[in-house]
Amino acid sequence: MEPETGSILYGDRKVLARAITLVENEVAGYEQILLNLKQEKYVPVIGITGPPGSGKSTLVNSLLHTLLKDPSQSVGVISVDPSSPLHNGAILGDRLRMNEHFNNKQVFIRSLATRGALGGLSAKAIEVTELMRCAGFDYILVETAGVGQSEVEIASLADITLLVLTPEAGDEIQAMKSGIMEIADIFVVNKSDRDGADEFSKNLYQTMPFKGGKNSDIDVVKTIASQNEGVEKLVEIINKHLNHKTILDKSELWAEKAYRLIIKKRMHDISKQKLKEEIGEELKKNDGFNIYGFISKY
């Protein structure tokens, strides 16, 4: 039985959870659920990315504490975890990291598996995010799996991207490719009670990439997420960035999402295993295999 889209709009968490399961596993009829979605308001998506050990999960916890001080607000959290080698599903690390919020009626937490996506996000992340945007939340937080500089895909999903680093990451910054540095709207220097935090923050601002010819639109915020320090200021800056988003910014984001979903749809019937078998048959017939001739039939 297909979940009632109206129930999702009115915040029925059980219906939302079931709808996400159907969409993530592409159960028959899942596309109709997505087609029937209606957004009553624009819900901002905040992406949180960064290297392993930077404290992303602790920061999400602290952001929840701060955002939920207003009892009228609710927050959806998507925690993208590494895939299990046994069942290809999420390892459910968020159940351990965010257990204090798990039974809070103002919070809805959902794990998603990377499913082998190098960017830390599976193609399903966009669809699940759109489901949650129709569930009456005020914010949606998306925490990526933490696979380092390849996590640039979060920029195609989030209105605002936080790149979480630590003072010890000074040498890592020099080694990072420009991609992950350029996606950030806000640099969060977490664990800033450690030595070198001030100097690192200063150097980070001086070396950060320019957006639109200037870096004045990018902020560096120091936090100690484990002690909820600096997080209120971070929320203020997040809201400042959201308020400055233009229609052009949003149209570019929607175009990127549409592009990725179109690719997913057109590649739906392509199987690597089937390609391997077909290429194997071609190689048996002719040693002079022409890959361009082979793919032309697709």
Side-chain angles (χ1 to χ4, degrees):
M1 180 178 177
E2 184 179 303
E4 290 289 337
T5 306
S7 297
I8 296 174
L9 293 172
Y10 287 107
D12 189 322
R13 300 295 188 253
K14 290 183 180 180
V15 173
L16 174 60
R18 184 169 176 234
I20 291 174
T21 298
L22 296 178
V23 168
E24 188 179 12
N25 294 300
E26 298 191 351
V27 175
Y30 84 95
E31 289 180 321
Q32 196 60 43
I33 297 173
L34 296 173
L35 288 171
N36 290 337
L37 290 177
K38 295 179 181 179
Q39 292 185 22
E40 295 184 344
K41 63 178 180 178
Y42 190 86
V43 180
V45 177
I46 302 166
I48 301 165
T49 189
S54 57
K56 297 187 297 296
S57 299
T58 307
L59 182 64
V60 170
N61 263 322
S62 192
L63 281 169
L64 287 173
H65 278 296
T66 302
L67 293 171
L68 298 178
K69 287 181 180 179
D70 182 347
S72 67
Q73 290 193 332
S74 61
V75 183
V77 179
I78 298 175
S79 182
V80 183
D81 284 313
S83 300
S84 165
L86 299 178
H87 53 71
N88 204 37
I91 296 178
L92 303 180
D94 65 306
R95 297 300 188 265
L96 299 175
R97 299 188 300 260
M98 304 178 197
N99 58 350
E100 62 184 292
H101 296 291
F102 188 61
N103 293 319
N104 189 331
K105 293 182 179 180
Q106 293 175 263
V107 182
F108 178 88
I109 301 172
R110 181 72 180 212
S111 289
L112 285 183
T114 57
R115 296 176 182 243
L118 293 178
L121 297 172
S122 70
K124 283 294 164 189
I126 294 175
E127 295 172 342
V128 171
T129 301
E130 291 309 305
L131 271 171
M132 292 180 65
R133 281 159 60 98
C134 295
F137 298 110
D138 296 286
Y139 297 90
I140 295 174
L141 308 181
V142 180
E143 178 199 352
T144 64
V147 294
Q149 61 194 31
S150 63
E151 287 196 70
V152 295
E153 288 185 6
I154 187 63
S156 68
L157 177 69
D159 296 275
I160 299 292
T161 301
L162 313 185
L163 176 57
V164 187
L165 301 166
T166 59
E168 297 86 353
D171 293 335
E172 294 178 18
I173 294 297
Q174 302 301 322
M176 278 184 178
K177 293 181 180 178
S178 61
I180 192 171
M181 297 292 289
E182 290 173 352
I183 65 169
D185 297 292
I186 303 170
F187 289 87
V188 180
V189 180
N190 194 30
K191 306 179 183 179
S192 61
D193 52 338
R194 296 183 178 180
D195 292 340
D198 291 337
E199 183 179 358
F200 175 66
S201 299
K202 180 180 178 181
N203 292 339
L204 183 60
Y205 188 82
Q206 291 175 341
T207 59
M208 70 174 57
F210 292 107
K211 284 192 173 185
K214 59 181 181 179
N215 62 3
S216 59
D217 293 333
I218 304 176
D219 286 282
V220 178
V221 184
K222 292 188 294 183
T223 64
I224 308 174
S226 61
Q227 300 175 31
N228 293 327
E229 290 188 17
V231 180
E232 288 193 4
K233 180 181 178 181
L234 175 59
V235 170
E236 290 178 8
I237 291 175
I238 288 171
N239 286 325
K240 179 195 76 173
H241 278 262
L242 291 173
N243 290 333
H244 289 166
K245 287 290 180 180
T246 66
I247 292 176
L248 179 60
D249 293 327
K250 292 179 180 178
S251 65
E252 289 178 350
L253 183 62
W254 282 117
E256 184 64 29
K257 291 180 182 180
Y259 180 75
R260 290 177 180 272
L261 290 174
I262 290 170
I263 290 176
K264 171 183 172 291
K265 185 175 183 180
R266 293 190 176 182
M267 291 290 291
H268 186 71
D269 60 345
I270 303 298
S271 162
K272 283 188 179 180
Q273 182 59 36
K274 183 180 177 182
L275 289 174
K276 180 181 177 181
E277 293 170 359
E278 291 181 357
I279 290 173
E281 292 299 320
E282 291 293 328
L283 289 174
K284 290 178 183 178
K285 298 176 186 177
N286 182 10
D287 288 337
F289 177 70
N290 186 323
I291 190 168
Y292 295 102
F294 175 78
I295 66 173
S296 65
K297 62 182 179 181
Y298 289 94

